[in-house]
Amino acid sequence: MISRPDPPRPFDLVKTPWFFPLILLGLFLPLRIFAPQIAEKPELAWLDEALSIRAKLDFASALDPSIHFVELSIDDEIARRFAAHGELATTASVLKTIAALGARVIVVDIIYAYGREEDQALLAGTINEIQAAGGTTVVLALSQETRPGMKPYLLRSLPLAGGADFRQGVVNVKAGKNWREYQMVHRVGVETLPSIALAAFGASRPGPLAPKQNADGRMEWKTLGRDGKTVISTADDSRVFLNLSHSYYDDHFDKREGIEERFWKIAELEKRASEGEQSLLDATVFFGFDAEYDGKPTTHGDMEPGMFLHGTALNDLLHDRSIRPAPLWLDLVLFLVVAFLAAAVFSLVNRKRRLILVALAGVPLILIG
């Protein structure tokens, strides 16, 4: 008896191993290309979760030991000083105290754009006095402002007292559910300006090695590589994401690494200065409002001082730890690779239980990547 071959089965697209991966690829590619903000939301949510898990598992590291913070809390004593001497005169006194403690850079994360001319002149005179003594450089804040119907403009500190002559940095950080997006360089009209973190970094370096604007609006500076050769580093106005290590209020990681007194109150500063200490020797000190007046939600807390974002940006810059979004071409390549792997799994694994196990193993791998 001669057996006849089975007739060829009609082609069924749905049953091919490529069908569902291609459907998903067809859905995600247009979303990533034409609506990147929507596609990015789950990625940022995972970034927040990954940073939180890292801290909870004690894998986070402390900020650079040179970075410190001084809080301006409007308590009864500060309110009394504001009433008696004025806000700018009080700030001038605080800056003198920080400089007396040996700080290399003082970053004023408060925009002093208003006030009487004589008050602005008093604060400007104090800054000039501090810098003329040598050893301490002051960085002032400026803000990029936008209003309906108007072009973006800059709100500068001490506009009536030569504020533009001091080192300045832009304080804008893009708002979000968690404040994590940062720009190292800002371009406003024809001006190319450093962020306040990049300005602080520049102030801590000798003049020839500080970041400088190049022809295309980027800023660049020279460093020494591990082999002793000169390396040119650059920063531009592209987005980076802050590698927020842990909460501003969690000093566990500082203590683990032997770092004491990261966060200072004004009263404690003045006590140390009166005793002749130099507790902030060679430090970069961010001076700004506390969370009550300048609170920002982050991965690790609902209300963290805004200056902590700039301190984290400086730490990322010092240690090359910024999180950079992947370029479009790399995202598309990853989509194609995942689709290919999914199709291969669908074609090779034909038991539901094994398919579920492979999927459970694959999801963490994708998230880790």
Side-chain angles (χ1 to χ4, degrees), residues 205 208-209 220-234:
R205 296 167 62 82
L209 300 179
E220 62 180 34
W221 61 96
K222 295 179 180 179
T223 57
L224 287 178
R226 293 181 180 178
D227 57 359
K229 295 182 179 179
T230 300
V231 177
I232 296 178
S233 300
T234 63

Side-chain angles (χ1 to χ4, degrees), residues 75-115:
D75 53 21
D76 291 342
E77 173 58 21
I78 295 299
R80 183 193 66 76
R81 295 187 193 184
F82 278 11
H85 309 294
E87 181 180 354
L88 274 66
T90 301
T91 297
S93 175
V94 174
L95 297 186
K96 284 183 178 180
T97 301
I98 297 173
L101 289 169
R104 177 183 296 182
V105 180
I106 304 174
V107 185
V108 184
D109 186 23
I110 303 170
I111 300 174
Y112 291 112
Y114 306 104

Side-chain angles (χ1 to χ4, degrees), residues 171-192:
V171 296
N172 299 80
V173 180
K174 188 174 180 180
K177 179 183 178 182
N178 289 331
W179 292 54
R180 45 170 126 66
E181 187 174 321
Y182 204 83
Q183 278 181 248
M184 287 298 175
V185 173
H186 294 256
R187 302 177 76 170
V188 184
V190 298
E191 291 193 78
T192 297

Side-chain angles (χ1 to χ4, degrees), residues 8-9 51 132 235 248 344 353 367:
R9 295 179 181 180
L51 294 175
Y248 175 86
R353 182 178 298 177
L367 292 176

Side-chain angles (χ1 to χ4, degrees), residues 285-311:
V285 180
F286 288 84
F287 171 61
F289 285 113
D290 63 5
E292 184 176 352
Y293 286 86
D294 189 29
K296 305 288 192 296
T298 75
T299 300
H300 306 296
D302 293 332
M303 292 293 286
E304 310 239 330
M307 59 181 171
F308 188 54
L309 303 177
H310 300 296

Side-chain angles (χ1 to χ4, degrees), residues 9-324:
R9 295 179 181 180
F11 177 73
D12 189 343
L13 177 64
V14 176
K15 291 184 178 181
T16 63
W18 298 96
F19 179 71
F20 289 107
L22 286 176
I23 289 292
L24 292 176
L25 188 65
L27 291 174
F28 281 114
L29 282 182
L31 190 66
R32 176 62 183 86
I33 296 171
F34 300 110
Q37 292 181 343
I38 296 175
E40 194 175 67
K41 283 185 177 181
E43 295 178 5
L44 293 179
W46 169 243
L47 171 63
D48 291 336
E49 193 62 31
L51 294 175
S52 177
I53 291 171
R54 182 184 66 178
K56 289 175 182 176
L57 294 178
D58 206 27
F59 292 152
S61 57
L63 298 182
D64 191 275
S66 67
I67 299 173
H68 291 257
F69 302 91
V70 174
E71 291 185 357
L72 180 58
S73 303
I74 311 301
D75 53 21
D76 291 342
E77 173 58 21
I78 295 299
R80 183 193 66 76
R81 295 187 193 184
F82 278 11
H85 309 294
E87 181 180 354
L88 274 66
T90 301
T91 297
S93 175
V94 174
L95 297 186
K96 284 183 178 180
T97 301
I98 297 173
L101 289 169
R104 177 183 296 182
V105 180
I106 304 174
V107 185
V108 184
D109 186 23
I110 303 170
I111 300 174
Y112 291 112
Y114 306 104
R116 299 178 303 174
E117 184 175 354
E118 55 264 39
D119 293 333
Q120 292 191 29
L122 185 151
L123 180 54
T126 298
I127 294 171
N128 281 323
E129 179 185 333
I130 289 171
Q131 297 189 140
T136 302
T137 303
V138 178
V139 176
L140 296 180
L142 55 85
S143 173
Q144 182 178 344
E145 301 289 325
T146 56
R147 290 184 181 178
M150 294 179 61
K151 291 182 179 180
Y153 66 96
L154 292 171
L155 188 64
R156 300 180 185 271
S157 292
L158 306 182
L160 304 178
D165 296 332
F166 298 112
R167 287 182 181 266
Q168 299 181 77
V170 178
V171 296
N172 299 80
V173 180
K174 188 174 180 180
K177 179 183 178 182
N178 289 331
W179 292 54
R180 45 170 126 66
E181 187 174 321
Y182 204 83
Q183 278 181 248
M184 287 298 175
V185 173
H186 294 256
R187 302 177 76 170
V188 184
V190 298
E191 291 193 78
T192 297
L193 299 163
S195 66
I196 202 166
L198 184 58
F201 172 73
S204 68
R205 296 167 62 82
L209 300 179
K212 294 178 177 60
Q213 180 182 343
N214 64 14
D216 61 358
R218 294 183 301 170
M219 303 193 79
E220 62 180 34
W221 61 96
K222 295 179 180 179
T223 57
L224 287 178
R226 293 181 180 178
D227 57 359
K229 295 182 179 179
T230 300
V231 177
I232 296 178
S233 300
T234 63
D236 56 26
D237 60 352
S238 61
R239 299 183 308 158
V240 296
F241 296 106
L242 298 174
N243 199 339
L244 285 157
S245 51
H246 54 79
S247 172
Y248 175 86
Y249 300 102
D250 186 355
D251 62 354
H252 161 72
F253 299 96
D254 282 348
K255 290 180 177 177
R256 186 185 66 189
E257 298 183 26
I259 303 169
E260 299 293 338
E261 298 172 318
R262 170 87 67 185
F263 319 107
W264 295 77
K265 300 290 187 181
I266 291 172
E268 181 62 22
L269 279 178
E270 294 172 337
K271 177 177 179 295
R272 295 294 183 88
S274 67
E275 295 170 353
E277 293 189 17
Q278 286 205 307
S279 307
L280 294 172
L281 188 63
D282 291 333
T284 296
V285 180
F286 288 84
F287 171 61
F289 285 113
D290 63 5
E292 184 176 352
Y293 286 86
D294 189 29
K296 305 288 192 296
T298 75
T299 300
H300 306 296
D302 293 332
M303 292 293 286
E304 310 239 330
M307 59 181 171
F308 188 54
L309 303 177
H310 300 296
T312 301
L314 175 59
N315 184 74
D316 291 349
L317 186 61
L318 290 172
H319 299 284
D320 195 21
R321 299 188 64 204
S322 297
I323 301 170
R324 301 181 183 277

